[in-house]
Amino acid sequence: MLHKLSTLQKPAVIIPLLSLFLAACGGKEQKPAAAPANTKLPVDIIVAQQEALNLEESLVGTIEPYREVAIVGELAQKITRVAFKDGSYVKQGAVLYTLNDAEITSRLRQVAAQIKLAKITQQRLANLLKTETVNQQEYDEAHMQLNTLEAQQDLLRAELSKTVIRAPFSGKIGITKLQTGAYVSPGTTLVTLQDQGSIKISFSVPEQYLSYVQMGSSIKFKTVLSDKEYTASIIATEPGLEAQGRSLLVQAVTSNDKGMLRAGLSVKVLFNTGEKGATGVQLPSEALVPGQKGYNAFVIKKGVAKTVPVTIANRTETKVTITSGISTGDSVIISNILRLGDGMSVAPVPVK
């Protein structure tokens, strides 16, 4: 009986010992190796250099003709002649269309005969009035009849002049919309005439650049046809800003002697947005870090990265112009920006 009790107590002794062994083994956790204290983040740098700036904002514009008019008919008549070739150059005063004038000419001859008779009648009554053979009223009625006929003659002559439609200025004529024999109603557009000796550039300037819009100042622009750069002078602006875009519509003019520029072409306007003699630092756009009050950049001071606020004058997809915050000789970090922190040790690699 005593032997059985001794056998049953052995597991009770082994279990606590096993628990102590497992606890000791479990407490030995593997800790990650600590990073070396002298690890530095490799970064590419550019040594900043102040340089003269030619600050320009790229804006979208449209070429417009210097002058443009829709030639319209003023009389209800048929076209008897189209006097120009479609798409040709016409001079001021050149005949473009002639309309049927037979009816008006006949009425003019009729009124001319009536005027001749009215003048004879008036002269006869004037002589009789001197001898008091007729009264004043009879003479006045004859005189009024003559004036009425002369007014009708003037009106018919004005209508006759409208049967010949002339170019109001020299320019390039378009394609006629009606041909000989077609009936013209008053107000019908017949063709379009453009003065392309000079052309206008219309573009909108954002409100932050309004101080740079000066009458007579120059702009540069390019078309989609080539990389050739043209120059134009600002001649006019709208009195107020566009409410939707907060921008000012501006017009500039330039010569088009060779006729290479056509109305309706889109252009890229290079608008100057900087003061003469302004200087700054050109950096890649990836060097910028958005901040609460603008943009920041990282420079290296005593082997560590330091954040500095910067002022931007102009920015494109690839480059940014800094006008303050970075000086000549500063080592500006341009890579690993997302891994950087203020005060982090870095290993600079100059970019060639």
Side-chain angles (χ1 to χ4, degrees):
M1 188 69 178
L2 291 173
H3 177 71
K4 290 182 179 181
L5 289 174
S6 176
T7 303
L8 291 173
Q9 287 175 352
K10 286 182 180 180
V13 175
I14 293 173
I15 290 173
L17 290 175
L18 182 60
S19 299
L20 290 173
F21 176 76
L22 292 174
C25 292
K28 294 180 181 180
E29 297 179 355
Q30 295 295 327
K31 295 182 179 180
N38 59 350
T39 299
K40 296 182 178 181
L41 180 67
V43 293
D44 295 326
I45 66 167
I46 287 180
V47 179
Q49 294 291 336
Q50 290 282 341
E51 57 186 42
L53 298 178
N54 183 20
L55 300 178
E56 293 178 335
E57 183 74 12
S58 180
L59 306 173
V60 177
T62 303
I63 294 180
E64 297 180 358
Y66 187 73
R67 286 184 292 180
E68 181 179 23
V69 65
I71 305 298
V72 299
E74 298 182 71
L75 297 177
Q77 291 290 348
K78 286 185 178 181
I79 297 175
T80 58
R81 181 189 175 204
V82 178
F84 63 90
K85 183 179 179 181
D86 289 348
S88 63
Y89 178 86
V90 297
K91 293 185 178 181
Q92 182 177 0
V95 176
L96 302 178
Y97 297 91
T98 58
L99 306 180
N100 180 25
D101 63 355
E103 180 182 350
I104 299 175
T105 302
S106 297
R107 288 167 58 193
L108 266 173
R109 287 199 297 267
Q110 180 183 12
V111 171
Q114 291 174 341
I115 288 175
K116 184 177 181 180
L117 178 61
K119 285 182 177 180
I120 294 173
T121 301
Q122 182 199 35
Q123 185 61 44
R124 183 184 302 116
L125 291 177
N127 293 331
L128 293 175
L129 183 62
K130 294 177 182 178
T131 61
E132 298 182 355
T133 305
V134 296
N135 57 37
Q136 184 68 41
Q137 182 178 353
E138 290 178 300
Y139 173 79
D140 291 344
E141 289 176 354
H143 183 69
M144 180 63 67
Q145 177 66 20
L146 176 61
N147 289 342
T148 300
L149 291 171
E150 289 177 339
Q152 290 180 8
Q153 186 181 52
D154 291 341
L155 179 61
L156 288 171
R157 285 173 176 170
E159 289 186 2
L160 182 63
S161 68
K162 294 177 182 178
T163 61
V164 180
I165 301 175
R166 301 178 182 272
F169 52 81
S170 299
K172 189 171 184 179
I173 201 76
I175 300 173
T176 184
K177 293 177 172 55
L178 295 176
Q179 300 292 340
T180 300
Y183 186 83
V184 178
S185 299
T188 300
T189 298
L190 303 176
V191 72
T192 300
L193 176 64
Q194 291 183 353
D195 179 359
Q196 296 182 345
S198 296
I199 52 96
K200 294 177 181 177
I201 308 297
S202 293
F203 59 100
S204 295
V205 177
E207 59 183 347
Q208 63 264 36
Y209 300 133
L210 292 185
S211 60
Y212 299 106
V213 179
Q214 302 293 333
M215 294 299 105
S217 61
S218 297
I219 64 163
K220 298 176 183 178
F221 68 94
K222 296 179 180 180
T223 70
V224 296
L225 301 179
S226 69
D227 291 331
K228 183 179 179 180
E229 192 171 86
Y230 299 87
T231 301
S233 298
I234 294 176
I235 59 168
T237 68
E238 284 289 353
L241 274 66
E242 298 173 350
Q244 184 174 3
R246 303 299 179 189
S247 58
L248 180 68
L249 182 62
V250 179
Q251 272 194 344
V253 66
T254 189
S255 176
N256 188 31
D257 294 335
K258 296 182 179 180
M260 299 299 294
L261 304 173
R262 288 176 174 261
L265 277 175
S266 63
V267 296
K268 181 173 73 173
V269 177
L270 305 176
F271 184 72
N272 189 2
T273 58
E275 300 290 345
K276 290 184 178 180
T279 60
V281 177
Q282 295 279 348
L283 296 176
S285 295
E286 56 266 27
L288 291 181
V289 181
Q292 294 181 350
K293 298 182 179 180
Y295 288 96
N296 300 319
F298 283 103
V299 298
I300 299 177
K301 299 291 185 181
K302 297 181 179 180
V304 299
K306 293 292 183 182
T307 305
V308 292
V310 295
T311 302
I312 298 174
N314 197 11
R315 184 178 184 179
T316 66
E317 293 182 358
T318 58
K319 290 186 178 182
V320 61
T321 302
I322 307 297
T323 55
S324 68
I326 295 178
S327 304
T328 297
D330 286 347
S331 296
V332 184
I333 300 174
I334 62 171
S335 68
N336 271 335
I337 300 296
L338 298 179
R339 299 175 61 187
L340 277 176
D342 200 37
M344 181 181 291
S345 296
V346 294
V349 179
V351 175
K352 297 181 180 181

